[in-house]
Amino acid sequence: MGLELYLDLLSQPCRAVYIFAKKNGIPFELRTVELLKGQHLSNAFAQVNPLKKVPALKDGDFILTESVAILLYLTRKYKVPDHWYPQDLQARARVDEYLAWQHTTLRRNCLRALWHKAMFSVFLGEPVSPEMLAATLAELDVTLKILEDKFLQKNAFLSGPYISLADLVAITELMHLAAWRQRVEAAVGKILFQEAHETILNVKNFPPADPVIKQKLMPGILAMIQ
Ligand SMILES: N[C@@H](CCC(=O)N[C@@H](CS)C(=O)NCC(=O)O)C(=O)O
C-alpha cells in the first residue's frame, strides 16, 4: 500500500496537508475520517492514531501524526520545489520560526473562535456567553497583529518573497485576509484552494448534531478548545 492520508477537510491542519500533497502531485489515498460523525473516536482509527486526531499519515508500516511533522516528512520524501521548505539555512529557519509559533497562538485562537462563534450554536445547539466570545476574539486580535507585524511585514508571503509551508499552515486558519489570501490562492491554484475550503466555508449550514453524536464528541471538543 502506498501513501495514505487520514483527513477531514473540516480541519485546518488537514487542509494544509491536503493542499500541499495535491499541489505537489504527491500520490496518496484519501482516507476520510468524518469528525462530526465521531469517526476519529472509532477503534479502527485508534489503530492509526491512538490520540484520535486528524491528520494522520500511513506510508506502508510507518505511521505519522501531527500536521507539521507530516508536511516536513512529505517535503523530505518527495522532490518538491525548494520554496516550500528552503535549503538555505536562514530562509528555512524563518519557516521553522512560524511553524513553531503558530501552535499555541494562531492555531489555538482560530480554533476557539470557530467553535465559539459558529460551531457551538450551529452544530451543538449550545450557547456561548458574550463574555467568553469577546475574550476569544480579543485574544485572536492580538495574535493577528503579531502575524501581520512580525511575520507578514511587507513581504508577499509569511516567510519572504515565496510561498512556503508557513503560508499553507496559516492561510487555512485565516480565509479573510484578502490580499495575502489571493496570493496564496493564486500560487496553489484557485480550484484546489476552493475545493479544500468548501466544507469550512459552509459551516453555518451544517445540520445540528445528533444527540448521541453530540454526547460522544463533547469531551473531545472541550479538551481541544480549552
Ligand atoms: N497538533 C495537531 C492537532 C490535530 C487536531 O487537533 N486535530 C483536530 C481537528 S482540527 C482533531 O482531530 N480533533 C478531534 C478531537 O480532538 O477530538 C496537528 O497539527 O496535527
Side-chain angles (χ1 to χ4, degrees):
M1 181 64 74
L3 185 70
E4 296 164 80
L5 294 176
Y6 292 78
L7 308 176
D8 182 343
L9 294 183
L10 177 66
S11 142
Q12 172 274 330
C14 291
R15 293 196 296 277
V17 169
Y18 181 80
I19 293 175
F20 182 77
K22 290 279 242 187
K23 177 66 189 166
N24 288 292
I26 295 171
F28 68 93
E29 289 288 336
L30 177 62
R31 305 272 180 246
T32 300
V33 180
E34 287 192 68
L35 292 168
L36 297 186
K37 291 190 179 159
Q39 291 177 353
H40 58 300
L41 304 175
S42 69
N43 290 337
F45 184 62
Q47 306 296 310
V48 179
N49 184 2
L51 300 179
K52 302 182 175 174
K53 287 180 187 292
V54 284
L57 167 153
K58 202 159 181 273
D59 194 4
D61 292 337
F62 180 70
I63 290 178
L64 189 65
T65 65
E66 288 297 323
S67 55
V68 169
I70 292 171
L71 288 165
L72 294 176
Y73 179 82
L74 295 177
T75 62
R76 290 166 181 145
K77 171 157 182 180
Y78 298 92
K79 287 260 164 286
V80 301
D82 184 71
H83 59 78
W84 289 113
Y85 194 54
Q87 289 296 328
D88 176 82
L89 177 68
Q90 293 183 356
R92 175 168 289 199
R94 281 276 165 253
V95 180
D96 290 336
E97 184 182 38
Y98 179 78
L99 294 177
W101 176 78
Q102 55 87 29
H103 284 295
T104 53
T105 50
L106 194 69
R107 167 75 186 135
R108 176 177 181 273
N109 291 328
C110 284
L111 188 66
R112 285 167 61 89
L114 172 70
W115 279 90
H116 287 160
K117 263 190 94 170
M119 297 299 281
F120 263 90
S121 56
V122 176
F123 180 65
L124 298 175
E126 295 283 337
V128 174
S129 77
E131 294 77 23
M132 168 82 91
L133 183 57
T136 298
L137 295 179
E139 269 192 67
L140 180 58
D141 269 358
V142 173
T143 303
L144 288 176
K145 183 139 182 42
I146 299 173
L147 180 80
E148 199 164 356
D149 294 351
K150 170 169 170 44
F151 290 98
L152 198 51
Q153 299 177 20
K154 293 201 182 331
N155 298 323
F157 293 97
L158 271 186
S159 43
Y162 306 109
I163 190 167
S164 76
L165 293 181
D167 295 283
L168 289 189
V169 171
I171 200 75
T172 42
E173 301 280 7
L174 300 165
M175 289 289 290
H176 55 278
L177 298 182
W180 169 53
R181 171 187 159 169
Q182 272 168 15
R183 286 195 291 273
V184 178
E185 186 170 315
V188 300
K190 199 178 169 84
I191 293 174
L192 171 58
F193 195 77
Q194 294 295 334
E195 178 201 335
H197 287 98
E198 204 175 304
T199 313
I200 199 70
L201 291 177
N202 192 33
V203 79
K204 292 231 154 61
N205 300 321
F206 284 0
D210 172 275
V212 177
I213 290 282
K214 176 175 166 181
Q215 202 183 9
K216 200 169 157 189
L217 294 179
M218 209 61 177
I221 292 167
L222 293 176
M224 186 172 72
I225 65 165
Q226 73 190 355

